[in-house]
Amino acid sequence: MKKILVNVAMVAIVFSFLCAQATAAVIWREGAVPVEAEMAGQGGRIHIGKLKIIPSVAVQGVYDSNIFLGNDFTKNQVNPQGIVLKPIKSDYILHTMPGVLFDFSLPDRGSVKLAYEGDWAFYRYTTANNWNKQRGLFSVDYQAPAGLILGISNIFSKANDPYGDASQYGLGLTKKRWNNDFTGKIGWDFFNRFKALAYYNYYKQKYKDERDYTQNWADNEFGLGFEMKVLPKTWAFVRYHYGTQDFYDHRGNTTGNNNASNKWNRGNIGLAWDGGGKIGGELNFGYEWLKFDNNIDPQGNKYNDKNTWIAATSMNYSPTATTTLTLNIARAIRPTGADKQEYYEDTQIGINLNQDLPYKFSTTIGFAYSRNAYNTNATFLNEDRTDNNFNGNVNVKYMIQSWLSADAGYRYMRKDSNSIDQEFTDQQVMVMLRASY
């Protein structure tokens, strides 16, 4: 036991040092573990040959202190009538979350998976704010003994929820939209020493309401990669990607000649680890060159190209069979819409501890920080807007049976900004019962 505590303490010190040294962040988004991961961990009793079918259902109760992520801010130069745009209002929310996973095993080669998950949220008092989100997943993970590598993942999500998108558009307001995320790779493993890979990624987002058409875009990205084994479970890699973002719907005076459509080139280097060891995931850093297609936006402001470092690091360290630490570092450039030359540098860092406890208990503790640095003068201080986002959570799980678990958790979210109408603080208390067969 003493050895375990020493290992945990040493890892925590190292990760704390990394967190303190990095400029990073995570904006507030849904923090739930994907249902297919939960189902795979708890269920698996239905088998048809190599096919595993895992149905799941969960019920969650939430107290949310600030359902609109508001701050009661009223009169300012943007909102001269003094109307409260997003009030502070608390409520109780009941979630029902069904799901099913089909997992077809390809022995010694990979798997094919098909999953569905849904989330229906019902408010006790603010019933007009009820929302739902549904998601479908298809993935193929295949590696032939001769060397062929194939990976495909497609996630389709249809939502009518208040969680916004990657650029934080509509955060706290219920909006209808759908997203499709496709990632693919094909390559060859040469003698388990070298890998050559080609990548194709396609992402599309579409909002239903015409007022939100500035957020409708499609991304196409092509890439090449090379990996070399440097240790028994460790690969060094270099990757290059070229991509385009097309804002394909227009409204008002926004057209294809003045919207924020853009192109980018990015290169990444890092280390990747095979599964099954104490270290997993990727250490991934790079550099991106972003160039806008047009010279000026609909208001006549000049588009400014941006070159900066980027990151997509997610590393797991398991000093023991019951302890896992996860470090996430991410950095990206995010245009905020088709109708303006505004973008922000989104820099994120987060750390999570997952620990099994005696008597069928386990706990998850996490903290994330993000810094969003905008490029336009959009504050009341006449300086570039900067948001600092904080997200902390703790969750305790009890395995009542191998197929039934109970959770209790707490989450704290806060946005500090020099644009005072953007600030908010939110707290949530959650209890959940989940069954997977």
Side-chain angles (χ1 to χ4, degrees), residues 165-166 177-179 203-207 215-217 248:
D165 56 26
R177 65 190 183 279
W178 61 260
N179 299 75
Y203 311 101
K204 186 171 183 178
Q205 174 172 281
K206 183 172 181 61
Y207 279 78
Q215 303 301 309
N216 292 349
W217 48 257
Y248 58 85

Side-chain angles (χ1 to χ4, degrees), residues 181-362:
D181 298 343
F182 174 88
T183 60
K185 66 178 180 181
I186 187 169
W188 202 271
D189 186 339
F190 298 92
F191 313 111
N192 199 30
R193 290 295 306 276
F194 306 99
K195 295 178 183 179
L197 295 158
Y199 303 94
Y200 174 67
N201 304 319
Y202 178 76
Y203 311 101
K204 186 171 183 178
Q205 174 172 281
K206 183 172 181 61
Y207 279 78
K208 181 178 181 179
D209 197 318
E210 184 181 352
R211 292 174 298 178
D212 305 316
Y213 275 5
T214 59
Q215 303 301 309
N216 292 349
W217 48 257
D219 287 1
N220 278 278
E221 188 176 59
F222 303 86
L224 295 172
F226 176 78
E227 300 185 11
M228 180 177 67
K229 181 173 281 190
V230 293
L231 289 172
K233 289 183 175 291
T234 305
W235 298 77
F237 66 80
V238 57
R239 298 169 188 160
Y240 165 77
H241 285 80
Y242 169 79
T244 64
Q245 182 177 44
D246 175 34
F247 287 93
Y248 58 85
D249 275 338
H250 302 124
R251 182 173 182 267
N253 61 345
T254 303
T255 70
N257 295 320
N258 59 25
N259 66 20
S261 295
N262 58 84
K263 298 178 176 63
W264 65 86
N265 292 269
R266 64 179 177 92
N268 295 74
I269 60 173
L271 298 173
W273 287 270
D274 292 334
K278 287 191 173 184
I279 300 178
E282 283 191 357
L283 177 68
N284 187 333
F285 289 89
Y287 202 83
E288 180 174 316
W289 296 262
L290 176 71
K291 181 177 179 58
F292 290 92
D293 293 350
N294 299 309
N295 294 321
I296 59 173
D297 73 3
Q299 291 75 44
N301 301 307
K302 186 179 185 302
Y303 283 105
N304 296 310
D305 300 336
K306 179 67 178 179
N307 306 327
T308 188
W309 68 276
I310 56 175
T313 289
S314 182
M315 295 174 56
N316 303 317
Y317 176 64
S318 300
T320 72
T322 59
T323 303
T324 300
L325 282 158
T326 303
L327 173 69
N328 295 299
I329 301 174
R331 180 175 165 88
I333 309 169
R334 302 191 187 278
T336 59
D339 61 340
K340 52 188 173 181
Q341 51 84 36
E342 181 183 76
Y343 63 80
Y344 67 91
E345 299 169 19
D346 183 11
T347 314
Q348 314 177 10
I349 191 165
I351 184 171
N352 286 277
L353 169 66
N354 292 281
Q355 178 66 56
D356 289 344
L357 301 172
Y359 305 108
K360 299 183 180 181
F361 283 95
S362 62

Side-chain angles (χ1 to χ4, degrees), residues 393-405:
N393 66 279
V394 59
N395 187 78
V396 177
K397 174 183 286 187
Y398 176 65
M399 294 300 301
I400 302 170
Q401 298 288 339
S402 60
W403 54 273
L404 182 66
S405 66

Side-chain angles (χ1 to χ4, degrees), residues 424-435:
F424 68 83
T425 299
D426 185 31
Q427 300 182 70
Q428 295 180 356
V429 179
M430 300 158 282
V431 294
M432 182 169 67
L433 193 67
R434 181 187 297 280

